[in-house]
Amino acid sequence: MSESLQFPHRRYNPLLRQWVLVSPHRTDRPWQGEVNKSSGFSDVHYDPQCYLCPGNTRAGGHGTPKYESVYIFDNDYAALLPDSPEPSRDSAPELLRAERERGRCRVLCFHPDHSLTLARMDPADIRKVVDAWTEEYRGLGAAPYIRHVQIFENRGAMMGASNPHPHGQIWATEHVPDEPQAEMEALEEYRRAKGSCLLCDYARLEAGEAARTVCENDGFLAVVPWWAVWPFETLVMAKQHRRSLLDFADADRNALADILKQVTTRYDNLFETSFPYTMGFHQAPTDGEAHEEWHFHAHFLPPLLRSATVRKYMVGFELLGMPQRDITPETAAERLRNLPAVHFTLR
Ligand code: H2U
Ligand code: ZN
């Protein structure tokens, strides 16, 4: 890395076509602000109070069966409904626009064992989660009014997860949300201009440079991207051009399960804690078009910065101006890459 990149500079994110301000030495500043509670690991395999444990009654009054691998249900507090009416706003002012947004929200329990996380799950069990994600993406996307399926996981109380039980969410919407829409426009424009795929090209570049690589396997490459905003943000890219989970061969599904375990294990090992994050997949919309431009990838967006208890805040300049980060992506990648591949609780 050139010396000049140790000074404040900005980097371009070609996926969102935005800039991020990088201020490498800013973590040296004194911290007298909030220190969060570190999230440890539970050794409770079944919690009678947990809404998501097998055999319990959920908050909405529905019973959860005694499931043995994954379990999927309609969110009892869904943010979207399949039958929302068209807002009737005759002669509404142009500046007060509204649109119908129909959709569905699902919850996916990854495993019956309350104490597990992706990092500590068996790869064969994560593979079952990958299969479930694929069938949800296929099934929800098949509804004619659903144009986008967002699969994600909020991990840890710091990220707003409501429950430590291993689970994720799926929101299927009538419109493509703003982030994937912005990525899609960038991917389309790149493909038009260069005749190749932005993320195929980027994955090749990162594999060659290796400075931002965290880990990889035959199917996937995980990097702290050049333009990362969150301190230990990672981007997990399919090495081959895959538009969505539906393009995955059997080996790709196993490789995705493996890379998710690798990345989350390194995260937990970084501060020897259950590392909080929001993780989600970006893939082709389900609007019936071919979407050759799409390249399947996962974003991990973790809040922690300097320890298990001190997080980065997106406030002030970040909210009003542009995103900013304190350590370079290369430093973050090096730290994650040099960690053991085995989970600290299993060593
Ligand atoms: P989060 O931990 O990411 O919030 O996901 C849990 C979801 O599970 C949340 O959206 C739903 C919440 O609405 N939920 C139910 O549908 N039923 C319950 O009994 C508890 C939680
Ligand atoms: Zn539970």
Side-chain angles (χ1 to χ4, degrees):
M1 258 310 106
S2 102
E3 261 303 298
S4 55
L5 290 178
Q6 296 308 320
F7 292 89
H9 61 280
R10 56 192 227 153
R11 295 190 185 190
Y12 186 62
N13 175 346
L15 255 189
L16 287 177
R17 298 190 283 192
Q18 288 172 356
W19 292 87
V20 49
L21 177 62
V22 184
S23 316
H25 296 300
R26 219 170 147 255
T27 40
D28 297 341
R29 72 189 186 282
W31 182 259
Q32 296 185 315
E34 185 185 3
V35 175
N36 293 276
K37 219 165 95 240
S38 162
S39 43
F41 283 94
S42 155
D43 49 11
V44 176
H45 303 287
Y46 166 76
D47 176 356
Q49 304 301 323
C50 171
Y51 294 125
L52 305 181
C53 269
N56 292 356
T57 303
R58 296 204 301 275
H62 297 282
T64 298
K66 291 205 160 137
Y67 61 98
E68 282 173 3
S69 60
V70 298
Y71 176 61
I72 307 163
F73 61 93
D74 279 323
N75 196 313
D76 299 312
Y77 306 91
L80 296 146
L81 300 169
D83 50 7
S84 287
E86 192 79 63
S88 60
R89 299 177 50 85
D90 301 336
S91 71
E94 202 188 327
L95 291 177
L96 305 180
R97 227 173 119 182
E99 250 177 349
R100 174 164 70 177
E101 185 69 43
R102 292 175 294 176
R104 284 183 70 189
C105 296
R106 309 264 286 158
V107 180
L108 197 172
C109 298
F110 297 162
H111 199 283
D113 186 334
H114 185 83
S115 73
L116 289 180
T117 61
L118 285 178
R120 303 200 310 153
M121 274 168 67
D122 205 1
D125 289 335
I126 305 178
R127 163 64 198 256
K128 290 178 194 156
V129 179
V130 173
D131 290 343
W133 280 328
T134 308
E135 288 322 307
E136 287 297 301
Y137 174 81
R138 188 196 314 277
L140 290 164
Y145 71 96
I146 294 297
R147 294 198 185 84
H148 189 265
V149 177
Q150 183 60 58
I151 295 170
F152 64 99
E153 177 193 13
N154 292 321
R155 177 78 219 152
M158 201 183 277
M159 283 316 272
S162 57
N163 187 312
H165 196 104
H167 69 282
Q169 295 195 49
I170 304 166
W171 291 24
T173 51
E174 181 164 7
H175 297 96
V176 180
D178 288 350
E179 289 284 302
Q181 177 70 32
E183 289 190 356
M184 182 162 69
E185 287 168 16
L187 290 166
E188 269 170 358
E189 190 190 272
Y190 188 96
R191 195 177 146 85
R192 247 194 324 272
K194 313 250 186 210
S196 59
C197 164
L198 192 161
L199 284 179
C200 283
D201 289 357
Y202 181 61
R204 216 171 297 120
L205 187 76
E206 287 291 9
E209 284 208 6
R212 282 167 298 277
T213 297
V214 173
C215 53
E216 62 182 308
N217 62 24
D218 285 349
F220 291 88
L221 176 68
V223 302
V224 178
W226 170 256
W227 55 83
V229 167
W230 293 94
F232 293 96
E233 173 176 341
T234 53
L235 175 68
V236 177
M237 294 169 281
K239 285 185 175 173
Q240 305 296 322
H241 192 70
R242 304 276 186 265
R243 295 165 301 174
S244 76
L245 285 166
L246 301 187
D247 283 348
F248 279 30
D250 187 62
D252 296 321
R253 293 188 187 198
N254 287 336
L256 179 60
D258 172 76
I259 203 80
L260 293 176
K261 186 176 172 77
Q262 283 201 50
V263 170
T264 52
T265 297
R266 283 190 158 74
Y267 275 153
D268 284 3
N269 286 345
L270 181 63
F271 300 127
E272 302 213 334
T273 190
S274 182
F275 196 83
Y277 57 77
T278 277
M279 178 278 282
F281 302 141
H282 278 154
Q283 51 185 333
T286 55
D287 55 4
E289 304 292 324
H291 287 294
E292 265 312 318
E293 78 284 2
W294 261 101
H295 187 116
F296 179 95
H297 60 277
H299 296 279
F300 276 90
L301 309 169
L304 291 180
L305 171 58
R306 44 177 97 205
S307 71
T309 53
V310 176
R311 58 165 297 165
K312 169 166 182 69
Y313 285 94
M314 287 288 177
V315 293
F317 191 78
E318 284 99 327
L319 278 186
L320 295 162
M322 66 193 290
Q324 179 269 343
R325 65 175 291 119
D326 295 335
I327 53 171
T328 63
E330 294 73 29
T331 307
E334 190 182 8
R335 287 186 63 184
L336 290 170
R337 183 170 61 239
N338 290 337
L339 289 164
V342 177
H343 199 273
F344 73 95
T345 59
L346 306 173
R347 261 179 257 148

